[in-house]
């Protein structure tokens, strides 16, 4: 026998209806249904069954609704008259859910499933409903059993049938229509049908959530990558964590696996690890796990089968282990469906899905994901070495020619070409690539040269030895011009390894002598000398700084050393430019870029601008456009700081145009981020800025700079999305990189938290928004200026109030009020806090105590404004706020009056604090007085406040009617109407006059 009272069951049902979907809600609903049945109260039992059916629907246990629905149907058949019109409608509506649940339950025989469908059709016909929902249910049943002709007929009859109040909402119907087109191979038609849902014109509780997920692969297949990316960001955010949308979550995981975003897919899987389990709804299980299997297979193919995945039934699993477990389980479910349906359709579709291949190599999503570890190299097989195919001599000669040309030009592609040469010829017998001795000795030294260069860049310990071997190798072959370059590289390696200044200077001198010793007719002699001189200038600056630091540390500093060093360096570079301007423009370009950077370090951006421009121009003229990228990007930043955005954009675009041949990922990222930052300042360029920031983030990731440049690129991407009102996308991107951004200083952490709070507020997520504002307020808690903390506390309070967390909101408002008063210069903010506190005083209950507190707070707000007006009596803002305070006080009093009027009309209970007629009349008179005063101020403030003025006069007019003086209220509005008819055309909002005229008509009727 139930120990729950009727009141407890009713309260439980009320709470359960608004609980989050899932097994916990279902368990509670089951307890309530059992208690209601035990109570013997048929009406209560019916309510509990209805609640249980709805609970199951929005969970992964939706197929469990069959039993409570059958019980509820029995109750209806026993006594249809006990069901209200709404209850009967709900029962027939649930028939559609049951039809779906039957299709998704392979344990229900085909004959029984067909019988339920026939029963649905019979009952709908008797009840007078359209056959439209029946035909839709028949369509999906026919499709799953492989009866395509029946499915086609059902689809046609579904579309032809009339819509009535038993039809699914437009969003859900469009979902089904598009899905059917997709199953028939018509992606374009599907997307056309889904467009109103994707655009947000047609929505419901689970749309566009489901359509956003289903549309991902059709968009990819049609090459509409930007839309696919946007729908993933927006759609996953909607589906995340919702049990009833696990099939949609699976589609987002599948999307990641097929777009080169396997790390993102793993993160989504981890967020739903609890649902990687034997779900009760077998169709949902097949759909969700199908998406997971696409990801797991892709990870296996990439060599990541050994990585930890998520546990299954409490047992930790690697990617490969989880794949095998889920695949076996899913195939068993598919076979059970096929056995019931008498077809292989379910298995065939499932196998085709999990065998899907990537639809694009990499589609950057913008969100931050941890990179996958590099797969461990496979163990070399123990077997006799297999000789490599003989290298084609002509092809190798051509490859070497191209590699040397690229090297001599300083082309970024040189590294790749030499790596290919090295792979073709090898460098010793250990490479197992064939007859090394047959390779030109010069080619062998060239390959060794490239290997030494790579080692030097990486700071390898054996770099100097490798460079010396290359130098000696070139000398042995009589290639002194290459040996001279190796001598110069030895000086750079020494500097990089921290050698003493004297040693480095000696190596530079050796390099210069080697260059000068080249034959006079050697074409590269001048270049080698100039390069040695430029390297000496660059390194000498570094050496002077080292010696100055050392002298300072030993107490021998002389002051202004850095300025003197810059001056000497600039003089040397200027002389270099003059000497080689005509003969070696690429080296002169390097010198001019250095001069530009010196000017910037000395705080002289105007001097830097022409120097950087000259450097870029010389590099382009020399046929080395990639060398122009850095000075162009730097100059764009300088021009931006000087307030010359058009020129900055021109330089940044030029830098991007010349970056095509760059192979350095960081350079590719920086040029894009620079242009994106410039474009974001233009109102019409947010979309292009977003695309550039997106690709910049991708390049930073490739460079291993995800937490640094990648974080800044994602912040800019979020800002660009916000400019386009793509707030969901912006929030997803920002959240993904938030931990990185918080590490970049207090100011950025503050800005980012506030930005995310603003986005969440716009998205209607007040709790989450309040959390970000409060965290931001904590960052500025110790600041001397209390205003930033006050503003953030107030924003948090607004969102806490929106979330109906009243005690928390009151505490936050009181803290904001305290801080505003500390600043002493924010009367408007102070007043708005006081008004908000006034409304919270009567939110939970409109009582005499609450109204008294609200009245006191409004009076305090008016007093603050009157005090502030002492210094600025004509301030429009202060006068407007004062009028708004009177307006809102009148609304508070009106709420108090309304409570008493409603209680007085309730025959079962009178008001706890009843007011007499005289008191009600006095309150109404006060309301009218306040609204008139506010309207007078709004009149003086002019047309910008016409809407507020009308509201006050309209409220006063209806209150006059309650006072028994409707003609006085009509007179107020009639006067306003006459006045507004004299205003110039287009200055009065279209809605005001018709509404005012209707009110006058009601008052005078």
């Amino acid at each position: 026998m139930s120990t729950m009272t009727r009141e407890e069951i009713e309260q439980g049902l009320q709470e359960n209806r608004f609980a989050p979907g899932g097994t916990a809600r279902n368990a509670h609903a089951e307890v309530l249904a059992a208690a209601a049945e035990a109570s013997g109260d048929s009406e209560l039992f019916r309510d509990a069954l209805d609640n249980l059916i709805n609970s199951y629907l929005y969970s992964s246990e939706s197929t469990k609704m069959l039993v409570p629905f059958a019980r509820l149907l029995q109750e209806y058949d026993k006594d249809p008259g006990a069901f209200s019109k709404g209850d009967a409608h709900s029962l027939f509506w649930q028939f559609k859910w049951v039809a779906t649940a039957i299709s998704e339950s392979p344990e229900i025989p085909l004959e029984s499933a067909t019988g339920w469908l026939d029963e649905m059709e019979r009952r709908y016909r008797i009840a007078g409903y359209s056959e439209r929902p029946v035909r839709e249910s028949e369509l999906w049943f026919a499709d799953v059993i492989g009866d395509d002709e029946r499915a086609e007929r059902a689809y046609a009859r579904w579309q032809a049938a009339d819509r009535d109040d038993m039809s699914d909402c437009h969003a859900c119907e469009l979902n089904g229509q598009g899905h059917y087109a997709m199953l028939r191979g018509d992606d374009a038609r599907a997307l056309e049908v889904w467009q109103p849902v994707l655009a947000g014109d047609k929505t419901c509780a689970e749309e566009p959530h489901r359509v956003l997920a289903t549309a991902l692969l059709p968009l990819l297949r049609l090459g509409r990558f930007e839309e696919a990316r946007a729908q993933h960001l927006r759609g996953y955010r909607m589906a995340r964590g919702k049990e009833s949308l696990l099939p949609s979550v699976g589609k987002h995981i599948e999307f990641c696996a097929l777009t080169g975003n396997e790390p993102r897919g793993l993160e989504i899987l981890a967020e739903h690890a609890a649902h990687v389990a034997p779900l009760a709804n077998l169709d949902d299980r097949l759909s969700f796990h199908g998406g997971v299997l696409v990801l797991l297979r892709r990870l296996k193919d990439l060599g990541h089968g050994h990585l930890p995945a998520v546990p299954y039934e409490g047992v930790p699993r690697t990617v490969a282990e989880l794949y095998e477990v889920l695949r076996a389980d899913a195939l068993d479910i598919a076979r059970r469906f096929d056995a019931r349906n008498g077809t292989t359709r379910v298995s065939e579709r499932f196998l085709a899905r999990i065998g899907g291949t990537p639809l694009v190599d990499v589609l950057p999503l913008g969100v931050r994901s941890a990179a996958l570890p590099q797969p461990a190299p496979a163990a070399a097989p123990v077997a006799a070495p297999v000789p490599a195919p003989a290298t084609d001599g002509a092809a190798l000669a051509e490859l070497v020619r191209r590699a040397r040309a690229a090297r001599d030009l300083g082309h970024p592609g040189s590294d790749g070409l030499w790596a290919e040469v090295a792979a073709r010829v090898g460098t010793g017998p250990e490479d197992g690539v064939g007859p090394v001795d047959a390779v030109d000795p010069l080619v062998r030294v060239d390959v060794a040269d490239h290997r030494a260069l790579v080692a030097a860049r990486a700071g390898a310990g054996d770099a100097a030895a490798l460079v010396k071997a290359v130098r000696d190798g070139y000398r042995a072959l009589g290639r002194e011009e290459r040996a001279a370059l190796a001598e110069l590289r030895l000086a750079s390696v020494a500097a990089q390894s921290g050698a003493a200044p004297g040693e480095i200077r000696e190596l530079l001198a050796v390099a210069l002598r080697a260059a000068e010793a080249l034959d006079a007719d050697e074409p590269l002699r001048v270049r080698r000398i100039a390069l040695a001189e430029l390297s000496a200038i660059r390194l000498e600056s570094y050496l002077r700084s080292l010696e100055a630091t050392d002298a300072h540390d030993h107490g021998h500093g002389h002051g202004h050393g850095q300025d003197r060093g810059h001056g000497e360096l600039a003089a040397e570079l200027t002389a270099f430019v003059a000497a080689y301007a005509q003969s070696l423009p690429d080296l002169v370009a390097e010198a001019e870029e250095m001069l530009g950077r010196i000017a910037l370090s000395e705080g002289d951006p105007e001097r830097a601008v022409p120097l950087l421009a000259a450097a870029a121009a010389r590099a382009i003229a020399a046929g080395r456009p990639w060398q122009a990228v850095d000075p162009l990007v730097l100059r764009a930043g300088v021009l931006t700081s000087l307030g010359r955005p058009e020129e900055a954009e021109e330089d940044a675009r030029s830098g991007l145009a010349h970056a095509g041949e760059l192979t350095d990922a960081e350079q590719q990222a920086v040029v894009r981020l620079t242009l994106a930052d410039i474009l974001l300042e233009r109102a019409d360029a947010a979309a292009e800025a977003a695309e550039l920031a997106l690709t910049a983030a991708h390049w930073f990731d490739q460079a291993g700079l995800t937490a640094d440049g990648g974080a800044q690129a994602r912040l800019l991407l979020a800002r660009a999305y916000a400019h386009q009102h793509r707030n969901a996308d912006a929030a997803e991107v920002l959240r993904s990189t938030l931990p990185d951004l918080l590490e970049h200083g207090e100011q950025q952490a503050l800005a980012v938290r506030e930005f995310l709070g603003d986005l969440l507020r716009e998205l209607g997520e007040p709790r989450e928004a309040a959390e970000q504002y409060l965290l931001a307020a904590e960052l500025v808690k110790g600041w001397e200026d209390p205003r930033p903390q006050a503003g953030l506390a107030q924003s948090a309070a607004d969102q806490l109030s929106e979330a109906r967390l009243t005690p928390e909101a009151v505490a936050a408002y009181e803290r904001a009020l305290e801080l505003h008063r500390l600043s002493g210069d924010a009367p408007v903010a102070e007043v708005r806090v006081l008004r908000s506190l006034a409304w919270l005083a009567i939110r939970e209950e409109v009582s005499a105590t609450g109204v008294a507190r609200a009245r006191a707070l409004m009076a305090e707000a008016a007093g603050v404004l009157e005090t502030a007006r002492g210094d600025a009596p004509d301030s429009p803002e202060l006068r407007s706020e004062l009028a708004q305070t009177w307006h809102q006080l009148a609304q508070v009093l009106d709420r108090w009056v309304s409570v008493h009027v409603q209680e007085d009309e309730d025959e079962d209970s009178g008001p706890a604090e009843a007011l007499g007629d005289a008191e009600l009349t006095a309150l109404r008179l006060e309301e009218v007085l306040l609204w008139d005063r506010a309207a007078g101020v709004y009149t003086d403030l002019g047309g910008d406040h016409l809407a507020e003025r009308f509201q006050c006069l309209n409220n006063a007019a209806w209150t006059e009617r309650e006072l028994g003086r409707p003609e006085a209220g009509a007179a107020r509005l009639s006067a306003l109407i006459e006045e507004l008819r004299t205003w110039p055309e287009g200055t009065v909002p279209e809605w005001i006059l018709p509404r005012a005229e209707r009110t006058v008509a009601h008052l005078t009727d």
Side-chain angles (χ1 to χ4, degrees):
M1 190 172 187
S2 171
T3 58
M4 297 178 70
T5 66
R6 178 187 177 91
E7 290 72 22
E8 288 172 336
I9 296 172
E10 288 178 336
Q11 178 65 28
L13 290 173
Q14 177 68 14
E15 293 172 355
N16 192 260
R17 289 186 185 101
F18 296 99
T23 52
R25 180 190 180 194
N26 294 348
H28 186 208
E30 289 165 357
V31 170
L32 293 170
E37 183 177 18
S39 74
D41 188 321
S42 298
E43 181 182 4
L44 189 61
F45 182 45
R46 291 194 299 271
D47 286 347
L49 287 173
D50 179 78
N51 177 70
L52 182 56
I53 294 166
N54 280 275
S55 296
Y56 283 144
L57 176 69
Y58 291 105
S59 75
S60 61
E61 300 179 315
S62 57
T63 50
K64 287 187 176 181
M65 73 172 67
L66 295 174
V67 173
F69 177 78
R71 295 291 306 277
L72 190 58
L73 194 60
Q74 288 175 1
E75 293 290 316
Y76 179 79
D77 289 339
K78 282 193 304 184
D79 185 8
F83 283 67
S84 68
K85 184 177 179 181
D87 292 339
H89 183 278
S90 175
L91 177 69
F92 279 86
W93 188 273
Q94 289 165 353
F95 238 119
K96 299 183 294 182
W97 302 344
V98 169
T100 301
I102 289 170
S103 295
E104 296 172 350
S105 305
E107 66 274 10
I108 296 179
L110 199 60
E111 297 76 12
S112 298
T114 304
W116 270 100
L117 196 60
D118 293 341
E119 181 68 6
M120 177 183 179
E121 181 175 7
R122 184 184 71 82
R123 287 180 180 265
Y124 269 46
R125 185 173 60 252
I126 293 172
Y129 290 121
S130 167
E131 70 168 346
R132 191 176 180 91
V134 179
R135 299 285 76 87
E136 182 181 6
S137 297
E138 181 186 6
L139 161 67
W140 300 120
F141 181 67
D143 175 72
V144 79
I145 64 174
D147 191 342
D148 292 335
E149 290 185 6
R150 182 180 179 185
E152 194 68 30
R153 289 195 304 273
Y155 182 84
R157 292 179 66 183
W158 170 29
Q159 297 306 295
D162 293 334
R163 284 185 57 83
D164 62 9
D165 61 356
M166 196 52 63
S167 300
D168 282 344
C169 74
H170 285 288
C172 287
E173 284 207 343
L174 290 172
N175 179 351
Q177 292 166 21
H179 190 71
Y180 186 60
M182 184 186 71
L183 288 176
R184 296 171 68 195
D186 194 345
D187 287 339
R189 173 60 183 160
L191 291 167
E192 181 183 349
V193 170
W194 287 329
Q195 184 53 37
V197 184
L198 295 173
D201 298 330
K202 303 293 184 183
T203 62
C204 70
E206 291 196 333
E207 297 298 355
H209 316 45
R210 296 181 301 169
V211 167
L212 286 167
T214 309
L216 292 172
L217 296 194
L219 286 167
L220 290 175
R221 287 192 289 260
L222 293 175
R224 292 160 62 172
F225 300 132
E226 172 58 31
E227 292 174 71
R229 171 171 45 233
Q231 307 304 23
H232 166 67
L233 292 177
R234 177 176 161 222
Y236 175 62
R237 195 168 179 281
M238 292 178 167
R240 176 194 281 131
K242 295 181 174 64
E243 273 196 11
S244 62
L245 292 175
L246 284 175
S248 296
V249 172
K251 290 171 185 174
H252 285 283
I253 292 174
E254 179 181 11
F255 166 82
C256 293
L258 300 181
T259 56
N261 290 287
E262 295 84 7
R264 165 79 167 171
L266 270 179
E267 289 172 1
I268 296 175
L269 176 61
E271 288 181 352
H272 295 84
H275 296 114
V276 183
L279 304 175
N281 184 319
L282 295 183
D283 191 71
D284 281 6
R285 186 158 143 196
L286 201 61
S287 181
F288 174 50
H289 288 177
V292 174
L293 282 166
V294 176
L295 172 68
L296 297 175
R297 184 187 58 77
R298 179 70 183 142
L299 289 167
K300 281 179 51 182
D301 291 348
L302 293 172
H304 298 296
H306 63 287
L307 290 181
V310 296
Y312 184 80
E313 295 189 309
V315 179
R317 309 279 181 167
T318 65
V319 165
E321 291 168 346
L322 185 60
Y323 175 81
E324 295 302 329
V325 171
L326 293 186
R327 186 176 187 275
D329 178 69
L331 287 176
D332 178 65
I333 293 171
R335 292 187 193 105
R336 288 162 62 187
F337 272 108
D338 288 344
R340 192 275 302 266
N341 298 336
T343 177
T344 58
R345 169 155 291 182
V346 174
S347 293
E348 288 172 356
R349 283 182 175 171
F350 181 77
L351 287 170
R353 181 187 185 189
I354 66 172
T357 55
L359 297 169
V360 59
D361 289 338
V362 178
L363 178 64
L365 299 178
V367 292
R368 186 212 201 281
S369 294
L372 292 172
Q374 291 298 315
V382 180
V386 178
T391 302
D392 178 77
L396 176 60
E398 172 59 20
L399 178 62
V400 170
R401 184 197 65 76
R402 289 170 51 216
R404 286 172 175 162
R407 179 190 64 190
D408 294 343
L409 194 60
H411 193 283
S414 171
D415 285 348
L417 290 168
W418 281 116
E420 188 176 349
V421 171
R424 293 273 193 97
V425 305
T427 54
E430 70 278 5
D431 294 302
V433 293
V436 175
D437 292 338
V439 178
D440 181 349
L442 181 57
V443 174
R444 290 205 303 273
V445 180
D446 283 340
V447 170
D449 185 27
H450 176 256
R451 179 175 293 179
L453 178 60
V454 171
R457 287 174 183 158
D462 61 347
L466 291 172
V467 174
K468 287 177 181 177
V470 166
R471 176 198 63 192
D472 296 343
Y474 278 130
R475 281 199 174 136
L477 294 173
R479 300 300 299 267
E480 292 295 335
E481 81 286 357
R482 297 295 305 169
L485 194 59
E487 295 282 16
L488 186 58
R489 193 171 294 155
L490 281 171
S492 297
V493 170
Q496 189 174 356
S497 62
E503 180 185 347
I504 296 170
R505 287 192 178 101
E506 178 57 32
L507 289 170
L508 286 169
V510 169
L512 180 58
R513 288 196 296 271
E516 292 172 336
L518 293 172
D519 291 342
D521 57 355
E522 166 58 53
L524 292 175
R525 182 175 184 274
V526 174
R527 172 172 287 277
R528 292 290 181 265
I529 294 171
L531 187 57
E533 291 176 354
L534 183 58
S535 298
I537 293 170
R538 182 185 288 113
L539 285 173
E540 187 59 41
S541 173
Y542 162 71
L543 298 175
R544 287 174 192 152
S545 67
L546 280 182
E547 290 170 335
T549 301
D550 186 62
H552 183 271
D553 290 344
H554 289 85
H556 303 300
H558 300 290
H560 306 292
Q562 186 178 21
D563 293 340
R564 186 168 63 251
H566 279 165
E568 292 176 8
L569 176 59
E572 291 165 353
L573 288 169
T574 301
F576 182 89
V577 169
Y580 296 105
Q582 302 304 315
S583 57
L584 298 170
D586 59 310
L587 294 182
V588 170
E590 289 185 38
E592 286 179 320
E593 181 180 346
M594 290 174 63
L595 283 167
R597 292 180 182 276
I598 291 169
L600 289 176
S601 69
E602 292 177 337
D604 192 350
E606 292 287 0
R607 181 160 56 92
V609 167
L611 289 166
L612 294 171
R618 286 188 197 275
I620 295 168
R624 303 187 183 208
W626 56 86
Q627 189 181 324
V629 174
D630 281 352
L632 284 169
V633 168
L634 183 57
R635 186 171 186 267
V638 175
L639 289 167
T640 299
S641 69
L642 293 173
R644 294 155 64 179
E646 294 83 3
E647 295 173 75
E649 181 182 338
E650 183 180 352
D651 271 13
R653 287 195 184 280
S654 180
L656 182 59
H658 294 311
E661 295 177 89
L662 289 175
T663 58
D664 183 82
E666 184 177 3
Q667 282 184 294
Q668 291 284 6
V670 169
V671 66
R672 285 167 172 79
L673 187 58
T674 300
L675 180 54
D677 199 20
I678 293 166
L679 290 176
L680 199 56
E681 299 305 312
R682 276 178 35 195
D684 61 340
E688 186 182 359
E691 182 63 29
L692 288 162
L694 180 74
T695 52
H698 173 70
W699 281 111
F700 277 124
D701 291 346
Q702 297 300 304
L705 297 170
T706 298
D708 300 305
Q712 300 308 316
R714 288 184 171 91
L715 174 57
L716 198 147
L717 175 59
R719 290 173 53 210
Y721 281 155
H723 279 238
Q724 299 173 76
H725 306 291
R726 294 171 58 180
N727 294 325
D729 297 4
E732 278 299 291
V733 169
L734 198 58
R735 272 181 164 166
S736 75
T737 196
L738 186 61
D740 296 328
L741 292 169
L742 296 178
E743 297 298 319
H744 288 260
E746 186 178 71
Q747 287 289 351
Q748 177 159 288
L750 171 63
V752 167
R753 289 231 183 257
E754 187 171 10
F755 180 25
L756 182 54
D758 293 345
L759 291 171
L760 295 169
R761 182 194 65 218
E762 292 296 324
L763 289 168
E765 298 180 16
R767 284 174 179 259
E768 295 79 1
E771 179 186 9
Q772 294 303 322
Y773 290 135
L774 289 171
L775 288 169
E778 194 65 26
L779 288 171
V780 300
K781 195 172 182 179
W783 287 15
E784 184 177 342
D785 185 353
R787 287 174 295 183
Q789 188 185 358
L792 290 164
Q794 187 169 348
S795 294
D798 289 341
Q799 293 306 295
L800 290 167
S801 177
E802 186 71 20
R804 303 198 70 81
L805 298 171
T806 303
E808 294 85 349
V810 169
Y813 276 129
E814 288 176 345
R815 178 57 177 156
L817 185 62
E818 177 186 355
L819 291 164
H820 283 312
R821 285 174 170 166
L822 275 175
S823 72
D825 62 352
V828 171
E830 189 178 337
V831 162
R832 290 177 179 174
V833 170
L834 288 165
R835 291 201 302 249
S836 295
L837 284 168
W839 283 107
L840 289 177
I842 60 171
R843 167 177 278 180
E844 304 301 329
E845 181 185 9
V846 185
S847 64
T849 302
V851 170
R853 172 152 175 75
R855 184 191 280 273
L857 288 163
M858 291 290 188
E860 187 177 353
V864 169
L865 289 166
E866 291 292 4
T867 300
R869 288 185 65 201
D871 296 326
D874 297 323
S875 166
E877 183 182 29
L878 294 176
R879 296 178 67 203
S880 171
E881 291 294 330
L882 185 57
Q884 186 63 226
T885 303
W886 292 333
H887 186 174
Q888 291 190 33
L889 175 56
Q891 290 175 311
V892 168
L893 300 179
D894 194 57
R895 286 278 301 278
W896 184 223
V897 170
S898 297
V899 166
H900 284 273
V901 171
Q902 289 166 5
E903 288 178 338
D904 194 42
E905 292 172 353
D906 187 343
E907 297 178 0
D908 297 330
S909 63
E913 304 160 326
L915 295 179
D917 290 342
E919 291 172 298
L920 291 173
T921 297
L923 285 170
R924 286 172 172 144
L925 287 170
E926 186 178 358
E927 290 175 37
V928 171
L929 176 64
L930 288 165
W931 274 318
D932 277 345
R933 289 170 66 188
V937 173
Y938 288 137
T939 300
D940 293 342
L941 290 172
D944 289 344
H945 294 271
L946 178 57
E948 293 96 328
R949 178 186 173 193
F950 169 76
Q951 288 174 350
C952 289
L953 292 175
N954 189 62
N955 292 343
W958 285 109
T959 307
E960 290 278 22
R961 184 188 186 189
E962 293 170 2
L963 287 165
R965 306 184 313 206
E967 66 286 348
R972 276 186 176 80
L973 289 176
S974 295
L976 177 64
I977 291 169
E978 292 303 315
E979 176 190 340
L980 295 182
R981 284 174 176 162
T982 67
W983 284 29
E985 186 176 351
T987 58
V988 179
E990 293 181 0
W991 59 272
I992 287 185
L993 281 172
R995 186 170 167 189
E997 289 165 352
R998 285 196 301 272
T999 302
V1000 170
H1002 281 301
L1003 291 171
T1004 56
D1005 186 4

